Amino acid sequence: DSTALFFYFDPTDTAASLKVELLAAASGAEDLELESRTVSRQEYLESYKKHYTSFRVADFAIVPSWKRSEADAFAGAQLLFLDPGLAFGTGLHPTTRMCLGWISSHRELIQGKRVIDAGTGSGILSLALLLAGAGHVLAFDVESNAIRATEQNLLLNPEIARDKLELESGGFEIEAFLSFGGEILVGNLTATIILGAKERIESARFPRMIFTGILSEQKDEVREAFSEWQLVSSAEEDGWALLELGLSG
C-alpha cells in the first residue's frame, strides 16, 4: 500500500524538496517518491474539492456546498453545508469531530445560550452551535480567510438567522470577548494559544468551557491551568483531547 501526500509551497521556495525529505525522514517514511509541478492560484484554491466528500458526525451531516445532492444520503441528520476554502475547519480533523460530537450531545445545555467560538476557522462550529439551538454566537479569528469563509458558509445555510452570528476579526484581545456576555466558550485551539490567553479567559468567568485543540499529552497542563473550573468530561481521539470544564460554585 502507498499513500499520496500533497504539499503546497511558494514557487520561489528553493528548499521545498528538502523540507519534504526532512519531514519524511523524521516520520520514518521509506521508499519516498517526490514529484513536483507548478500549479496556478485558481487550481490551488480549488484542489481540495477533489478529495472533500460528505460525512456524518453524530447528528450532523457535513455536506460540501458543491455536492448538495449528497445530502439525500443522510436521512435524519441535521445538514450543514460547508465550503472551508483556505480556512481551518473541514470537520475531518479529530478536534473538530470531537467538538461536533459534544455539541450534538449537549443541545439542552446549549439551547438559548450566548456562546463564543474562539478561532472560528471556517465557522463550522459556530454554525453547528446555532443549528443546535444557541441563542447567539460570537465568532472571532485572527485570519482574514476565516472571517470570509464563515460569512460565506453562513449564507450557504439560510435556515440559520444571520443576526444570531456576530463575527469579529482578532484574537482574545477584542473588546467583545468580555462585553458579549458569553455563557459557553468553545475553543478549538492549541494549548499554547489557550495558555497564552489564560488571564483573559479567566476574567470572563465562563460557566462552561470546551477546549478541543490540545494534544493528549498537554491536557493535564491545560486542566491544571484552570483550577477554578472542574473537569466535567473529557474525550480523546488520535492523540488529541477535548476538555469540558465547568466553573465551580
Side-chain angles (χ1 to χ4, degrees), residues 213-233:
I214 55 181
L215 295 169
S216 293
E217 60 261 31
Q218 296 175 313
K219 65 178 182 179
D220 290 338
E221 182 182 5
V222 175
R223 168 71 188 89
E224 291 166 6
F226 296 93
S227 56
E228 285 190 71
W229 281 258
Q230 297 178 340
L231 180 64
V232 178
S233 69

Side-chain angles (χ1 to χ4, degrees), residues 6 11 17 21 25 27 38 58 82 99 130 151 153 156 164 207 212 217 230 235 238:
F6 296 87
S17 294
E21 290 173 355
S27 61
T38 302
L82 195 73
C99 201
L130 289 168
E151 290 173 339
N153 286 322
L156 293 175
K164 286 191 173 184
T212 182
E217 60 261 31
Q230 297 178 340
D238 292 339

Side-chain angles (χ1 to χ4, degrees), residues 165-196:
L165 178 62
E166 181 179 337
L167 270 172
E168 292 251 2
S169 178
F172 286 99
E173 78 284 351
I174 61 173
E175 182 181 349
F177 182 72
L178 297 181
S179 63
F180 178 74
E183 298 166 279
I184 301 174
L185 171 65
V186 174
N188 187 4
L189 301 163
T190 65
T192 300
I193 294 175
I194 293 169
L195 295 174

Side-chain angles (χ1 to χ4, degrees), residues 5-20:
L5 298 176
F6 296 87
F7 299 91
Y8 294 91
F9 294 92
D10 188 295
T12 62
D13 190 345
T14 57
S17 294
L18 177 60
K19 291 175 182 178
V20 175

Side-chain angles (χ1 to χ4, degrees), residues 27-47:
S27 61
E30 298 179 353
D31 298 325
L32 177 69
E33 285 187 25
L34 282 180
E35 294 183 11
S36 64
R37 67 184 181 91
T38 302
V39 298
S40 67
R41 174 175 173 77
Q42 187 62 32
E43 184 181 356
Y44 166 67
L45 293 174
E46 297 291 319
S47 61

